[in-house]
């Protein structure tokens, strides 16, 4: 199948060819005609599947056929949970729309609002925004929504995780009733479905990977290791396996800083990226990582969300995430758009319950690999998926108190709606149904 057969016109086909995309990815094959049909679309797709082009290309196609935008108005609004993702989606809009005469802009918090107001003054065809800043701009009359033709909610699951639900509902109420709605999410939990009900009407449902499944092209391994040995093991792996570009996940901002210092001191150029860093520092770290100047990018979940680094070969979970779905997101950073990648988790005994949650969610037992000299004193169970009779319930309480995990991207309050994520004793047939956990 070719891009031309999907109904895109010459300026877009030219831009796609310039990106050297030869075939539309599965999500693009499904989403592009669905969006062009004008119907609402609900898509289950992880980052890395090509979903951004999946909605950007048909939106640009539709906009290029309509009438140009006027003062302070917007024709297509794309909401994303984080600044990084907003910036990357905006970049895609610019790249794919290069040969069209459409105006686009991106707005997010953490930077001055005035230049954004100026940019919006003449109106833009496509606006990419994070929810908080968009509402600020709206309240200051810098943007009007009455001409919105298409509304996209990107990474809806993450929006809810980050506590944006009220902002999203507010924004939706401000939109004109007649519009096309597109919703993208890696996972479809009950709260997402509830949100979708109020937003999407008679949608075309598009799905490329069953929700909560991990990308097939990613080889996954668990390296059992004692907690104290993790930094040294990571260093050994980076050096011996000669990883030139590795994205490392930690659970906390402080943990990210500590590990970055450790790697730097050991001679591996590293940079941390998390919500306490200024926008400038994050952009610089990401740019350095992309050019190869920075060998290890150490990130928290929220900050890493939406990072689009072409063909990232190596992802390491220095610590497992508290929320099993985040594992799926994390490893979605590698093996993108058909390229193969490797995701390695350094797991200590304290984390065996978290590992069990991940293995149940993704319905797999991840291969264990012991490294000589790093065999753990406190071993991991061979099959962490098995529900335990009496669970050790402590592992991450301590870190909650002393080293707060990052819940948010700057300004917004964390979601208070996730008590169900705390581990409960599981029934015998756990693993069949982890939805809404
Ligand atoms: P996304 O899932 O939108 O974050 O896209 C993941 C990566 O795939 C990005 O780096 C895109 O540039 C790339 N990509 C998107 N569509 C294609 C395609 N049809 N062929 C090859 N690469 C693509």
């Amino acid at each position: 199948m070719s891009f031309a057969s999907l109904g895109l016109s010459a300026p877009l086909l030219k831009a796609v060819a310039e990106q050297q995309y030869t075939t539309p990815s599965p999500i693009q094959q499904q989403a592009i005609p669905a969006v062009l049909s004008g119907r609402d679309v609900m898509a289950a797709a992880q980052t890395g599947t090509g979903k951004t082009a999946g909605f950007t290309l048909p939106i640009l196609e539709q906009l290029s056929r309509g009438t140009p935008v006027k003062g302070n108005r917007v024709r297509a609004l794309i909401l994303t949970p984080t600044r990084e993702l907003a910036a990357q989606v905006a970049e895609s809009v610019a790249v794919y729309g290069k040969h069209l005469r459409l105006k686009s802009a991106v707005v997010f918090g953490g930077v001055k609002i005035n230049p954004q107001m100026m940019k919006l003054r003449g109106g833009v065809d496509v606006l990419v925004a994070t929810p908080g800043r968009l509402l600020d701009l709206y309240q200051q009359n810098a943007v009007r929504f009455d001409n919105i033709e298409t509304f996209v909610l990107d990474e809806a699951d993450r929006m809810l995780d980050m506590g944006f639900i009220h902002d999203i509902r507010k924004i939706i109420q401000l939109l004109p009733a007649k519009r096309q709605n597109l919703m993208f999410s890696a996972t479809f939990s009950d709260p997402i479905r509830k949100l979708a009900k109020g937003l999407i009407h008679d949608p075309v449902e598009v799905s490329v990977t069953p929700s909560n499944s991990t990308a097939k092209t990613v080889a996954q391994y668990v390296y059992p290791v004692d907690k104290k040995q993790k930094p040294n093991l990571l260093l050994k792996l980076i050096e011996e396996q000669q990883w030139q570009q590795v994205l490392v996940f930690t659970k906390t901002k402080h943990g990210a800083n500590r590990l970055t210092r450790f790697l730097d001191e050991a001679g591996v150029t590293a940079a941390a990226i998390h919500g306490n860093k200024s926008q400038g520092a994050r952009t610089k770290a990401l740019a350095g990582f992309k050019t190869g100047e920075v060998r290890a990018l150490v990130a928290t979940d929220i900050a890493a969300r939406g990072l689009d680094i072409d063909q990232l070969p190596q992802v390491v979970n220095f610590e497992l995430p508290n929320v099993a779905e985040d594992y799926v997101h994390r490893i979605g950073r590698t093996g993108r758009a058909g390229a193969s990648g490797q995701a390695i988790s350094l797991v200590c005994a304290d984390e065996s319950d978290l590992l069990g949650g991940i293995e149940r969610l993704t319905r797999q037992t991840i291969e264990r690999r012991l490294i000589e000299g790093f065999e753990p004193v406190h071993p991991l169970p061979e099959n962490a998926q098995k529900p335990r009779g009496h669970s050790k319930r402590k592992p991450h309480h301590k870190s909650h108190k002393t080293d707060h995990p990052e819940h948010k991207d700057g300004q917004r309050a964390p979601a208070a709606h996730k008590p169900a994520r705390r581990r409960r004793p599981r029934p015998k047939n756990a693993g069949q149904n982890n939805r809404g956990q």
Side-chain angles (χ1 to χ4, degrees), residues 34 40 43 52 65 139 148 151 216 225 292 310 325 337 385 399:
D40 282 3
T52 315
R65 297 174 191 169
Q139 273 144 18
I148 286 182
F151 173 62
K216 291 280 180 298
V225 59
D310 274 343
E325 280 91 347
Q385 285 185 69
S399 62

Side-chain angles (χ1 to χ4, degrees), residues 50-328:
K51 72 179 166 69
T52 315
F55 62 79
T56 307
L57 288 169
I59 288 176
L60 291 170
E61 177 68 40
Q62 282 170 320
L63 294 176
S64 70
R65 297 174 191 169
T67 40
V69 70
K70 286 197 221 93
N72 284 71
R73 287 172 170 88
V74 172
R75 294 172 68 202
L77 173 63
I78 303 169
L79 275 193
T80 74
T82 65
R83 307 163 195 179
E84 278 78 15
L85 185 61
Q88 282 169 14
V89 171
E91 200 184 309
S92 297
V93 171
V95 165
Y96 303 137
K98 199 170 150 197
H99 304 294
L100 293 170
R101 286 167 174 240
L102 295 170
K103 286 194 279 181
S104 64
V106 56
V107 296
F108 47 69
V111 292
K112 283 189 191 145
I113 200 166
N114 273 4
Q116 298 178 349
M117 292 172 114
M118 301 282 284
K119 188 99 203 243
L120 292 171
R121 196 164 282 171
V124 292
D125 295 284
V126 184
L127 178 62
V128 188
T130 52
R133 177 54 62 94
L134 181 69
L135 280 171
D136 288 348
L137 285 160
Y138 181 82
Q139 273 144 18
Q140 299 189 41
N141 295 323
V143 61
R144 292 180 59 171
F145 294 151
D146 34 351
N147 279 32
I148 286 182
E149 298 161 33
T150 309
F151 173 62
V152 183
L153 198 57
D154 194 15
E155 307 216 340
D157 48 349
R158 183 50 54 131
M159 293 269 197
L160 298 197
D161 284 352
M162 290 175 66
F164 283 132
I165 185 69
H166 299 298
D167 285 352
I168 291 170
R169 289 200 192 285
K170 251 189 241 166
I171 292 166
I172 291 173
Q173 276 178 358
L174 296 169
L175 302 180
K178 193 172 168 296
R179 59 171 201 269
Q180 182 182 27
N181 300 291
L182 317 177
M183 182 162 157
F184 286 76
S185 192
T187 52
F188 275 86
S189 59
D190 290 343
I192 299 280
R193 290 184 188 279
K194 205 171 143 207
L195 175 65
K197 254 193 183 163
L199 173 67
I200 307 258
H201 308 287
D202 183 28
V204 179
E205 292 195 21
V206 166
S207 171
V208 282
T209 43
S211 25
N212 299 335
S213 75
T214 45
K216 291 280 180 298
T217 46
V218 182
Q220 301 166 61
Y221 304 102
V222 162
Y223 285 53
V225 59
D226 287 333
K227 190 184 270 171
K228 272 203 221 128
Q229 290 293 344
K230 283 188 180 187
N232 285 321
L233 177 55
L234 176 64
L235 187 60
K236 180 186 163 82
L237 291 170
I238 291 177
E239 284 175 345
E240 285 191 2
Q241 306 203 14
Q242 299 185 359
W243 295 338
Q244 298 307 326
Q245 199 188 35
V246 53
L247 178 61
V248 184
F249 285 95
T250 61
K251 222 151 55 170
T252 67
K253 302 178 221 183
H254 300 300
N257 287 340
R258 260 196 310 271
L259 185 61
T260 304
R261 273 197 304 275
F262 170 84
L263 290 173
D264 252 338
E265 280 163 19
V268 173
T269 341
I273 181 167
H274 55 63
N276 274 6
K277 297 266 174 190
S278 69
Q279 188 56 37
R282 294 202 226 180
T283 310
K284 188 166 166 250
L286 183 60
F289 188 56
K290 283 186 175 177
T291 58
E293 221 170 281
V294 170
R295 203 163 156 196
L297 187 66
V298 185
T300 55
D301 288 290
I302 302 293
R305 187 74 177 169
L307 290 185
D308 175 17
I309 300 140
D310 274 343
Q311 316 221 326
L312 186 59
Q314 189 63 55
V315 167
V316 172
N317 295 308
F318 185 77
E319 288 147 331
L320 291 181
N322 284 341
V323 177
E325 280 91 347
D326 281 342
Y327 177 84
V328 180

